[in-house]
């Protein structure tokens, strides 16, 4: 298999952390230069018509895109260690938390960065700075919700580390580009959780 990735983007990093947590090797990594527009070239569009990374090319030539779909496939063929739920109830609650984080935490962060950071101008044309700043305000709102969640449980989806923690961590690390720091913003529990995840081998890889 081949994984088309971009090392600075949060969604490819989610898959890379997922692979590392599960100890999956033997997948060829293909870096896609987003700033150079490699994801929009015909050769890549033929693999993924929406021109996004990550994308996983299977051994039979089919290409699976979208982070959650890729991770679901990998969880299915490499079931241990489990990161997405061991039974229907746990799977549903982990997916709920992961989806919430993806839509209401990662998405505003990405929108803020893409529309306000000059280094992302090549990827987001036209940029709408006012929209980006409004999305940045939503990041603080979501940080409060996540901080409150962590007052009730040690990890994003409950009592153990899951894919929801990977999604939240990669989003928070990407938020550095909008100069967001959980501790400095008064979200102590979110900062403590971030430091625990950052200490894991998958976060350092």
């Amino acid at each position: 298999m081949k994984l088309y990735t971009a090392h600075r983007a949060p969604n490819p990093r989610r898959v890379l952390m997922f692979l590392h947590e599960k100890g999956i090797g033997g997948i060829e990594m293909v870096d896609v230069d987003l700033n150079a527009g490699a994801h929009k070239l015909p050769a890549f569009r033929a693999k993924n018509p929406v021109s996004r990374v990550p994308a996983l090319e299977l051994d039979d030539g089919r290409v699976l895109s979208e982070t959650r779909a890729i991770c679901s496939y990998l969880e299915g063929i490499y079931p241990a260690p489990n990161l997405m739920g061991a039974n229907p109830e746990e799977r549903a609650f982990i997916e709920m938390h992961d989806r919430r984080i993806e839509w209401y935490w990662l998405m505003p962060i990405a929108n803020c960065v893409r529309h306000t950071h000059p280094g992302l101008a090549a990827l987001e044309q036209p940029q709408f700075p006012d929209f980006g700043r409004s999305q940045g305000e939503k990041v603080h709102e979501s940080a409060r919700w996540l901080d409150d969640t962590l007052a009730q449980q040690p990890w994003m989806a409950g009592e153990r580390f899951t894919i929801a923690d990977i999604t939240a961590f990669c989003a928070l690390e990407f938020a550095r580009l909008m100069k967001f720091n959980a501790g400095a913003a008064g979200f102590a529990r979110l900062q403590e959780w971030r430091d625990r995840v950052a200490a894991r081998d998958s976060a350092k890889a």
Side-chain angles (χ1 to χ4, degrees):
M1 291 188 286
K2 293 181 183 179
L3 180 66
Y4 294 86
T5 183
H7 66 281
R8 282 185 270 187
N11 283 322
R13 189 178 185 187
R14 288 166 66 192
V15 175
L16 293 172
M17 281 188 69
F18 192 85
L19 288 170
H20 199 280
E21 286 285 342
K22 295 183 79 67
I24 300 171
I27 297 178
E28 179 183 349
M29 299 294 163
V30 181
D31 189 67
V32 179
D33 190 341
L34 301 181
N35 284 338
H39 58 303
K40 296 181 179 180
L41 295 177
F44 188 75
R45 281 187 185 274
K47 297 180 184 296
N48 186 7
V50 298
S51 299
R52 296 286 191 271
V53 287
L56 181 67
E57 185 172 349
L58 308 184
D59 292 337
D60 63 8
R62 290 180 298 162
V63 176
L64 185 63
S65 68
E66 304 304 325
T67 300
R68 179 80 192 196
I70 292 170
C71 291
S72 294
Y73 174 74
L74 294 171
E75 178 93 341
I77 59 176
Y78 299 99
N82 179 278
L83 294 174
M84 299 180 78
N87 56 57
E89 181 178 321
E90 190 185 32
R91 281 195 297 274
F93 277 93
I94 290 173
E95 180 168 357
M96 177 188 74
H97 286 285
D98 192 40
R99 297 288 189 179
R100 284 177 176 175
I101 291 164
E102 183 175 42
W103 282 98
Y104 310 127
W105 174 242
L106 174 56
M107 185 75 73
I109 290 170
N111 283 335
C112 179
V113 172
R114 290 176 71 95
H115 286 277
T116 63
H117 197 286
L120 277 291
L123 297 178
E124 197 66 52
Q125 284 297 322
Q127 284 185 312
F128 295 100
D130 289 343
F131 170 69
R133 285 188 287 271
S134 72
Q135 291 289 290
E137 294 173 5
K138 294 183 184 300
V139 171
H140 287 264
E141 295 172 12
S142 294
R144 171 58 59 200
W145 147 61
L146 291 173
D147 199 67
D148 290 345
T149 296
L150 291 166
Q152 304 170 48
Q153 56 199 40
W155 301 101
M156 286 293 171
E159 297 300 314
R160 67 183 181 93
F161 182 91
T162 68
I163 189 173
D165 296 285
I166 293 174
T167 301
F169 177 77
C170 292
L172 184 55
E173 294 299 282
F174 195 57
R176 291 179 179 183
L177 293 178
M178 55 173 283
K179 296 181 169 47
F180 178 84
N181 178 282
F187 303 112
R189 289 180 289 261
L190 185 58
Q191 182 65 46
E192 186 274 334
W193 164 87
R194 179 263 166 206
D195 293 341
R196 278 190 284 128
V197 179
R200 300 175 75 91
D201 289 341
S202 62
K204 301 173 186 176

